[in-house]
Amino acid sequence: MNRTIVGRITLIRGLRHQVETFLRQATELGPWAPIAVPALLFVFIRSYQAEKQNMQDERTRMLKQEKAQFERVERQLVREIGAKSAAPGRLRRLLPRRVRRAT
């Protein structure tokens, strides 16, 4: 619950900051405001979504790295088990017994 509350507080602060910036820039534009407001909204929404995605990627980066490492190890283990349990070929049976034990 604490993380949810902290996350919501951070979200509200970020939105407040964006609204303040938007209002300041809209008043500075004067008569150009009706034309520039949609563009500013578009830029603000895109920047907010990009920052949100960056924060999510930062939180999940370690988990993704650990998952990739686990999958690599698992594939290697499957390859090793498959190589050990593979049935010997026909030519291998023709080799002398001491050579067969060594391999």
Side-chain angles (χ1 to χ4, degrees), residues 15 17-49:
L15 289 174
H17 176 70
Q18 284 187 341
V19 168
E20 289 172 354
T21 305
F22 172 75
L23 290 175
R24 186 183 73 246
Q25 290 178 346
T27 56
E28 290 173 357
L29 290 172
W32 290 97
I35 297 169
V37 167
L40 286 174
L41 279 174
F42 177 75
V43 169
F44 283 135
I45 290 170
R46 294 270 319 251
S47 64
Y48 176 75
Q49 290 174 345

Side-chain angles (χ1 to χ4, degrees), residues 41-86:
L41 279 174
F42 177 75
V43 169
F44 283 135
I45 290 170
R46 294 270 319 251
S47 64
Y48 176 75
Q49 290 174 345
E51 185 62 28
K52 184 178 176 182
Q53 184 65 37
N54 288 341
M55 290 176 66
Q56 183 177 4
D57 290 344
E58 186 177 312
R59 286 193 304 262
T60 58
R61 183 178 301 127
M62 289 302 292
L63 292 174
K64 288 180 182 178
Q65 289 174 351
E66 287 178 9
K67 181 179 178 185
Q69 182 179 3
F70 175 77
E71 289 175 352
R72 278 194 305 270
V73 169
E74 188 178 30
R75 282 193 302 269
Q76 179 65 28
L77 183 62
V78 167
R79 272 189 246 130
E80 290 175 3
I81 290 172
K84 287 180 182 177
S85 66

Side-chain angles (χ1 to χ4, degrees), residues 3-13:
R3 289 179 64 152
T4 304
I5 292 172
V6 170
R8 288 182 181 170
I9 290 172
T10 305
L11 174 71
I12 291 170
R13 285 182 181 169

